[in-house]
Amino acid sequence: MASKSQSTERKARIEQMRKAERARERRNRIITITASAVVVVALVAFGAFVLNKESEDQKKEDKAAAEPVKGEKSWDAEELGRDHVAEAVEYPQTPPVGGNHNQVWMNCAGDVYKDAIPDVNAVHSLEHGAVWVTYNDKAPEGDVKALGDLVGKTQYSLMSPVKEQAGAIMLTAWGKQVTVDSADDPRVDQFFSKYVQGPQTPEPGAACTGGMGAQ
């Protein structure tokens, strides 16, 4: 009888251990499922946050692009002329905002030129929808570097010194031009948002590579 009793107790202990193991497995499954659900919810929330922020940023950019640039000067695009010419052109603005130009454009895929470039080639870049950043000797070195960094990461933009220009820092697109106070001037980002391949572009999508580069 003692042997039978021991066998019964052993079976009971084994069954109890099995129940405890099954309970642990259930708890582990619940923990795993709960943790996975928390991760999924967190990822969804983070994705929604990112999308919402991108949407808000885009709205801000669109709003900035829709508003007029303070102090900007404009010219009638149809009166500027767009013929290809081989000879030099005397432009009424410095730097020029458009007009007849050389058939070869300056490369404007974020190109930063340390020396002056020919107006007749730069104007062709404007025709392709580029923004041209120019500066003279009065521009602070820090601003020149910051603007060079901006241009360097922006397709359809170029930068070069123009010693004779009136303002220390000027931004030019086809038929559009503004003088800004510094690289931190909010009009810099606004001008880029508005006019890099903007609605003023006579030849949108035309190349900004394969033209004339630094000598």
Side-chain angles (χ1 to χ4, degrees), residues 20-55:
E21 181 64 24
R22 287 195 293 269
R24 281 195 296 272
E25 290 178 352
R26 284 196 298 272
R27 285 197 300 272
N28 289 339
R29 284 197 298 271
I30 292 172
I31 291 172
T32 300
I33 292 171
T34 302
S36 299
V38 170
V39 170
V40 169
V41 170
L43 289 174
V44 170
F46 179 73
F49 169 78
V50 170
L51 289 174
N52 184 62
K53 187 176 186 306
E54 289 179 348
S55 177

Side-chain angles (χ1 to χ4, degrees), residues 83-203:
D83 293 337
H84 288 176
V85 296
E87 67 274 8
V89 179
E90 290 188 10
Y91 296 104
Q93 313 89 15
T94 304
V97 301
N100 296 338
H101 49 268
N102 192 276
Q103 65 179 352
V104 180
W105 56 89
M106 291 300 300
N107 289 335
C108 47
D111 292 85
V112 178
Y113 299 99
K114 300 300 182 183
D115 299 315
I117 58 178
D119 287 347
V120 288
N121 304 103
V123 168
H124 197 156
S125 301
L126 300 182
E127 186 182 40
H128 288 189
V131 164
W132 184 13
V133 178
T134 57
Y135 60 95
N136 63 19
D137 296 339
K138 296 179 182 179
E141 291 185 8
D143 285 338
V144 173
K145 183 181 184 306
L147 290 167
D149 291 342
L150 173 62
V151 170
K153 62 184 180 182
T154 306
Q155 292 291 313
Y156 286 96
S157 73
L158 69 164
M159 178 174 172
S160 70
V162 175
K163 187 176 181 179
E164 301 81 10
Q165 69 181 33
I169 301 170
M170 300 178 70
L171 310 180
T172 304
W174 186 271
K176 306 290 182 180
Q177 191 171 80
V178 67
T179 298
V180 297
D181 300 324
S182 68
D184 295 330
D185 192 315
R187 291 175 295 174
V188 173
D189 288 339
Q190 185 184 9
F191 198 90
F192 269 67
S193 296
K194 197 176 184 73
Y195 296 126
V196 170
Q197 284 287 283
Q200 86 293 340
T201 305
E203 296 181 3

